[in-house]
Amino acid sequence: SSSSSSSSLGGADTTLKNLSEHPILKFLNGHPHAITLAAPLLQDRSLLEVLALLQSKSSPRTATTQGGEDGVSPGYCSQGLAGIEEEEESVVKILEASLQVSVDEVAKTSPKTKEFFCLL
C-alpha cells in the first residue's frame, strides 16, 4: 500500500516538475496579475495554446521604432517606456500581453462588454 502511495506521489512530483519548467511560466515570470488573467484561458486551451496567444500579443516596444507619428507606441504616455527600468518594462510587457489576450476573449463573447471597459 505504501509503495502505491509513493508511486502516485512520484507522478505528482513529475507533473509539478514538468509544469514548473513549462515556457508559459517563464513568460509570465511569476507576475500575479498576468497569471490571474491567463488562468481562465486554460478552460478550453492547452498551455501551449495560451502561451502562443500571449506571445502573439507581446511585442518589443520602443519609443523610437514603433508607434504613431511621434514615435510613441499607442497606449503609452508621451515618454513611452523610456522612463522605467528594464525589469519594470518586462513586467509591463507581460501584463500588457495577458490583458490584451483577456480583452480579446471578452470582445469575442461580448462586444458590448469591451465597449464598457473602454469607458472606464
Side-chain angles (χ1 to χ4, degrees):
S1 166
S2 68
S3 66
S4 67
S5 174
S6 65
S7 67
S8 66
L9 289 177
D13 287 343
T14 301
T15 301
L16 185 58
K17 183 177 186 314
N18 289 341
L19 181 59
S20 72
E21 295 172 351
H22 197 280
I24 196 167
L25 292 182
K26 183 175 181 180
F27 180 89
L28 295 172
N29 198 26
H31 192 280
H33 295 297
I35 293 168
T36 300
L37 290 167
L41 300 171
L42 292 169
Q43 289 178 337
D44 57 352
R45 291 178 183 81
S46 70
L47 285 171
L48 288 175
E49 290 171 326
V50 172
L51 176 62
L53 276 171
L54 293 170
Q55 288 175 331
S56 74
K57 300 300 179 184
S58 175
S59 60
R61 295 179 185 260
T62 62
T64 57
T65 60
Q66 289 189 358
E69 290 179 38
D70 60 356
V72 176
S73 298
Y76 287 98
C77 66
S78 61
Q79 293 179 336
L81 294 177
I84 63 176
E85 301 276 334
E86 185 176 323
E87 183 177 323
E88 291 171 336
E89 181 179 343
S90 175
V91 170
V92 168
K93 287 178 183 179
I94 292 165
L95 187 56
E96 177 187 33
S98 295
L99 183 58
Q100 187 60 54
V101 169
S102 295
V103 169
D104 289 350
E105 288 300 306
V106 168
K108 283 183 198 174
T109 58
S110 178
K112 295 238 181 243
T113 302
K114 182 180 177 185
E115 291 174 20
F116 173 74
F117 282 129
C118 291
L119 291 175
L120 296 175

